[in-house]
Amino acid sequence: MPYVDRQNRICGFLDIEENESSGKFLRRYFILDTQQGSLVWFMDNPQNLPVGTDCVGSLKLTYISKVSDATKLRPKAEFCFVINAKMRKYFLQANDQQDLVDWVNTLNKATKITVPKLSDNQQNSENQRALPDVVGPKKQVSYKTEIIGGVPIVTPTQVYECGDVANKSEREAMQRSHSQLPYFLGRTAQDHTVIKSGYCVKQGAVMKNWKRRYFLLEENSMSYFKSDLEKEPLRMIPLKEVHKVQECKQSDIMMRDNLFEVVTTSRTFYIQADSPEEMHSWIKAVSGAIVAQRGPGRSAKVRFFFFFAPDAALLFFPLC
């Protein structure tokens, strides 16, 4: 779903048909900047790209006449919507139905507030008041709960609404190599139950650079790979070594959105998710897996000492 970053811009991943009528959709990171009056898209989140990297596409909001659902226009493309701008139609694919609705509403509202009806000062004040409406209230989404490996896993039911699981898995594998979507069926079966999987961006231990990696959370470990096609992980983090998982308190220093940290005995891993929802989902999943691995709350061990009392039975007393 689109989210607001630290610069008050609306952001998120979408697939776009960059070459008109090609039918080929590519994964891109979109930024809707109402103050600059533009919609731009990059190969990845600019926070993960070299400084000064240019966008791969842009569109002025004043050129947009309408944004609408394109299900009937592109029946084979799931969660598709279209942006009508000047003499061209831009077809995009959202992650799910709710994501589609949010983007369509957000873009339509953003294009309306760019129409110059007031003076510059009045318009700026109106825009500031309208910004919270652009994001809109978070709509209710239906979820289902499953118990996997003793951990309650909550997933949106919209992900499974259209098409069978196998076809969806193939589509995700081919089109969404940078997606944060759930683990697909193309990978060989694992020895342990997969609790959560998807792409995040991780900070390196030595160079401190940021690279996109495929993360896999299982019952006893959290691993990351170069891609979802790799069989051997770059590193496996045993959950028994993880002390805590939480939203990163240094995110302001690192200037990164959706940043969380996995603190282990030897190192703190800084990981950036693609959205606030994904960040909280990872924190909840890893924390739940740790709790499930360690079992129910362990009571403190109680030690006893004993002595013989005159004319009495053997007595035991706890040592606190």
Side-chain angles (χ1 to χ4, degrees):
M1 295 183 184
Y3 69 94
V4 180
D5 68 1
R6 61 183 65 252
Q7 298 181 47
N8 207 29
R9 304 175 304 180
I10 299 163
C11 309
F13 279 96
L14 292 168
D15 293 343
I16 183 173
E17 185 185 51
E18 289 188 323
N19 297 322
E20 193 172 2
S21 302
S22 67
K24 183 179 180 180
F25 287 80
L26 301 173
R27 192 73 168 167
R28 297 291 183 254
Y29 185 84
F30 283 76
I31 298 177
L32 172 60
D33 193 334
T34 54
Q35 295 182 354
Q36 297 295 325
S38 63
L39 175 68
V40 297
W41 52 97
F42 296 80
M43 292 288 291
D44 195 359
N45 188 330
Q47 295 176 351
N48 307 324
L49 299 173
V51 178
T53 301
D54 292 332
C55 62
V56 294
S58 64
L59 186 61
K60 290 185 178 180
L61 298 185
T62 52
Y63 292 166
I64 298 176
S65 58
K66 184 181 180 182
V67 184
S68 57
D69 190 316
T71 304
K72 294 182 179 179
L73 297 175
R74 293 294 180 86
K76 293 184 179 181
E78 286 186 300
F79 316 123
C80 187
F81 65 96
V82 60
I83 298 176
N84 293 276
K86 298 184 73 174
M87 301 299 293
R88 181 183 167 180
K89 293 182 178 180
Y90 293 83
F91 287 90
L92 301 99
Q93 283 184 286
N95 296 321
D96 53 44
Q97 185 62 34
Q98 188 62 55
D99 193 34
L100 182 153
V101 172
D102 288 345
W103 272 108
V104 170
N105 291 339
T106 297
L107 288 169
N108 278 321
K109 290 179 181 179
T111 54
K112 289 179 182 178
I113 66 173
T114 59
V115 179
K117 295 181 179 180
L118 305 173
S119 64
D120 292 340
N121 293 335
Q122 290 174 320
Q123 186 65 35
N124 289 336
S125 62
E126 288 294 326
N127 287 352
Q128 290 176 357
R129 287 197 294 269
L131 277 175
D133 295 334
V134 173
V135 182
K138 187 175 181 179
K139 296 179 176 58
Q140 293 184 350
V141 181
S142 58
Y143 291 87
K144 67 176 183 178
T145 303
E146 299 176 298
I147 305 299
I148 301 177
V151 182
I153 304 298
V154 181
T155 54
T157 57
Q158 282 86 347
V159 175
Y160 305 100
E161 284 180 354
C162 301
D164 57 62
V165 177
N167 290 336
K168 182 177 293 297
S169 300
E170 293 172 359
R171 173 175 168 270
E172 290 170 359
M174 295 177 62
Q175 294 184 352
R176 305 188 176 214
S177 61
H178 294 294
S179 176
Q180 72 278 17
L181 294 180
Y183 180 82
F184 67 90
L185 302 180
R187 182 183 285 274
T188 56
Q190 302 290 323
D191 294 334
H192 303 286
T193 303
V194 175
I195 299 172
K196 183 175 175 62
S197 63
Y199 279 93
C200 292
V201 177
K202 184 191 71 68
Q203 185 187 54
V206 180
M207 300 298 293
K208 303 300 180 184
N209 54 347
W210 296 81
K211 292 185 178 180
R212 186 168 289 272
R213 295 291 184 241
Y214 184 80
F215 283 79
L216 188 68
L217 175 63
E218 298 175 300
E219 292 177 342
N220 300 313
S221 66
M222 182 178 185
S223 307
Y224 55 87
F225 306 72
K226 280 189 176 181
S227 73
D228 53 16
L229 301 178
E230 297 291 329
K231 294 183 179 180
E232 295 297 326
L234 295 173
R235 179 161 183 167
M236 183 187 70
I237 309 169
L239 294 184
K240 63 182 180 181
E241 295 182 4
V242 178
H243 298 317
K244 59 182 176 180
V245 183
Q246 62 184 11
E247 186 171 355
C248 184
K249 298 178 181 178
Q250 299 186 53
S251 59
D252 290 336
I253 300 175
M254 295 183 177
M255 293 301 294
R256 287 184 172 265
D257 301 303
N258 319 318
L259 191 67
F260 66 99
E261 57 186 7
V262 178
V263 183
T264 69
T265 305
S266 58
R267 175 184 167 189
T268 297
F269 294 85
Y270 296 103
I271 304 170
Q272 182 186 25
D274 287 341
S275 67
E277 292 81 8
E278 269 298 292
M279 177 190 68
H280 292 300
S281 176
W282 273 108
I283 293 174
K284 184 176 181 180
V286 177
S287 300
I290 293 173
V291 172
Q293 184 199 53
R294 296 175 181 174
R298 298 175 179 175
S299 58
K301 294 182 179 180
V302 180
R303 293 180 297 173
F304 293 87
F305 73 93
F306 60 91
F307 66 94
F308 290 96
D311 302 323
L314 185 65
L315 303 179
F316 292 85
F317 294 88
L319 286 173
C320 298

